[in-house]
Amino acid sequence: MSPSAGVTRSTLRQQIADALRDEVLAGRLPPGREFTVKQIAEQYGVSATPVREALFDLSAQGLLASDQHRGFQVREFTVADYRAMAEARALVVEGLFRDPAERVAVRPEGLASIRRRAAEAVRAAKGGDLDVLIGYDLRFWRELGQFVLNPYIADFLTRLRVQAWVFAVHRLRRDGMDENVLWFGHEELVEAIARGDREQVHAEMRSYYGHALAWADRLEAREAEGNAEGNAIGNAEGSTDGPPGPGSAIPPESPGHCA
């Protein structure tokens, strides 16, 4: 294989991975959606090799689950997963900014772009434009991550942020967006970082993660309520108005039947 062919395949692999990630983040590939390498290759009109590589890349990032018999499917994150993501990010960021002289290098020339990302993210959040919000929010955190001197930590934080949006996008489209769910402190966080105000950075991050965990609490409560209602309906459908009359039969697996 010539070097140019390798570069072309690598570029195509990344383009396919980026396109599929955008589809997942936009909600057009919902959680649990199954597909094969062949289906994606036909959709994009390319060979199977770069598609397979792209799908394995997304699986490694935690966005897809793979099964050798069923192909790939968009991963379904639970509320417990989302809570764990928020807590992990909070712990890492808390540690990073505890001693910024060693772990974070803020470059003033990079702040102008981050300020623009912050302003656009807040505008999209207040305007209820979820697609625009996700794009600017991810860019905002990715560019902030460039200040982190450890690239492995920066990649980890970016990956968790993408996974959090995969979890959130369907629920936000279903339930709507408001100040009880979305965090609007992007600009305040940037200014605190620009001033080197560690206490304010911690305060803004606590606000950020507080919003995330409070939403997780509400989602858990709603799921518990939905499960309770489902059980009640199931029990009601399985009940009878009274004991069976003469000649009536009780099916062997009826609710309440004892062998």
Side-chain angles (χ1 to χ4, degrees):
M1 180 175 61
S2 68
S4 60
V7 171
T8 300
R9 196 180 82 184
S10 177
T11 302
L12 187 58
R13 166 185 182 172
Q14 187 61 52
Q15 289 175 340
I16 294 169
D18 290 344
L20 289 173
R21 186 185 300 107
D22 289 344
E23 291 289 297
V24 173
L25 286 170
R28 289 186 288 271
L29 284 177
R33 169 73 178 275
E34 296 181 355
F35 47 82
T36 64
V37 170
K38 181 181 178 181
Q39 289 171 332
I40 299 299
E42 291 176 350
Q43 177 180 336
Y44 288 102
V46 298
S47 66
T49 298
V51 170
R52 184 178 296 105
E53 292 171 341
L55 293 176
F56 278 121
D57 287 345
L58 294 178
S59 296
Q61 295 169 24
L63 301 186
L64 301 181
S66 61
D67 183 282
Q68 62 178 359
H69 301 295
R70 301 172 62 183
F72 296 81
Q73 66 176 189
V74 180
R75 184 172 173 184
E76 296 188 68
F77 291 106
T78 65
V79 176
D81 291 328
Y82 178 71
R83 183 185 297 281
M85 294 173 201
E87 291 174 345
R89 281 174 57 89
L91 288 171
V92 172
V93 173
E94 179 91 8
L96 284 173
F97 284 96
R98 184 171 295 123
D99 189 358
E102 293 184 3
R103 298 184 179 92
V104 178
V106 178
R107 295 177 295 278
E109 66 274 13
L111 287 171
S113 175
I114 294 175
R115 285 188 174 104
R116 288 195 297 272
R117 307 297 189 204
E120 292 295 343
V122 172
R123 186 176 299 113
K126 292 181 177 179
D129 193 332
L130 187 56
D131 291 332
V132 173
L133 169 60
I134 292 173
Y136 276 111
D137 181 81
L138 289 175
R139 293 188 191 104
F140 171 82
W141 292 105
R142 185 164 55 244
E143 291 186 22
L144 270 186
Q146 293 174 3
F147 293 158
V148 177
L149 297 179
N150 187 320
Y152 294 96
I153 292 177
D155 288 345
F156 172 73
L157 292 172
T158 297
R159 181 176 300 186
L160 283 182
R161 188 63 187 147
V162 172
Q163 291 177 355
W165 272 120
V166 172
F167 166 84
V169 63
H170 302 284
R171 292 166 172 85
L172 291 175
R173 292 195 190 283
R174 178 193 67 197
D175 302 336
M177 303 185 296
D178 58 38
E179 65 277 4
N180 293 320
V181 175
L182 299 178
W183 178 75
F184 302 107
H186 299 72
E187 293 169 302
E188 288 80 2
L189 176 60
V190 174
E191 297 312 316
I193 292 173
R195 294 192 305 270
D197 187 341
R198 285 183 288 175
E199 291 302 317
Q200 189 59 35
V201 168
H202 286 304
E204 295 299 335
M205 293 309 299
R206 283 193 297 269
S207 169
Y208 175 72
Y209 294 114
H211 268 74
L213 295 177
W215 186 42
D217 288 342
R218 292 194 297 274
L219 289 173
E220 282 181 335
R222 177 182 298 174
E223 288 186 359
E225 182 180 342
N227 290 336
E229 290 179 354
N231 291 336
I233 292 173
N235 291 336
E237 290 177 344
S239 66
T240 60
D241 293 332
S248 65
I250 302 177
E253 297 183 0
S254 294
H257 174 75
C258 296

